[in-house]
């Protein structure tokens, strides 16, 4: 059974972690900066590849952003690609402003 957990330190940096049968199967490196959820990296353990775990992580990330009225800054190549492939799905949480 899969479960997810968000672990942030006092500086609001940390991970969105995915566990399968209590073994850590994947993660997203995240931070909360200026009220935005910044995602840097998505990683799934080789033993769990091909099971849709990156998508589970993304769904949890988006759900968390929506529940907390936050925008997502998709610096992670995987998240950025998914946002560009499915803009209508993520438009409400996608922070698109460029510097």
């Amino acid at each position: 059974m899969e479960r997810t957990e968000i672990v942030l330190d006092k500086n609001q940096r940390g991970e969105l972690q995915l566990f399968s049968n209590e073994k850590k199967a994947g993660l997203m490196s995240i931070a909360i900066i200026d009220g935005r959820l910044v995602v840097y990296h998505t990683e799934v353990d080789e033993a769990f590849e091909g099971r849709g775990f990156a998508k589970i992580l993304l769904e949890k990330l988006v759900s968390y952003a929506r529940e907390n009225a936050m925008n997502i800054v998709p610096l992670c190549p995987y998240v950025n690609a998914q946002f560009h492939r499915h803009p209508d799905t993520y438009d409400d949480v996608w922070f698109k402003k460029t510097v």
Side-chain angles (χ1 to χ4, degrees):
M1 182 169 165
E2 285 73 52
R3 71 176 173 85
T4 57
E5 182 177 328
I6 293 178
V7 179
L8 296 169
D9 67 16
K10 65 180 179 170
N11 295 317
Q12 299 297 293
R13 297 180 189 276
E15 295 178 342
L16 168 55
Q17 301 173 344
L18 173 67
F19 296 88
S20 180
N21 297 322
E22 298 308 311
K23 182 175 180 191
K24 190 173 178 181
L27 63 89
M28 281 184 163
S29 298
I30 60 172
I32 297 174
I33 300 173
D34 296 330
R36 294 183 191 96
L37 189 53
V38 181
V39 58
Y40 299 103
H41 176 72
T42 301
E43 181 177 325
V44 174
D45 186 288
E46 284 183 20
F48 297 95
E49 286 180 358
R51 293 168 60 181
F53 284 4
K55 184 168 173 88
I56 291 171
L57 285 163
L58 178 59
E59 289 171 356
K60 180 61 176 181
L61 179 80
V62 170
S63 176
Y64 182 85
R66 288 179 176 142
E67 290 169 10
N68 292 280
M70 301 174 86
N71 287 116
I72 297 171
V73 180
L75 300 181
C76 165
Y78 170 75
V79 176
N80 192 27
Q82 292 303 311
F83 277 27
H84 278 91
R85 284 186 191 126
H86 310 284
D88 293 341
T89 302
Y90 304 113
D91 192 56
D92 63 318
V93 294
W94 187 359
F95 184 75
K96 297 177 187 175
K97 184 176 179 180
T98 57
V99 182

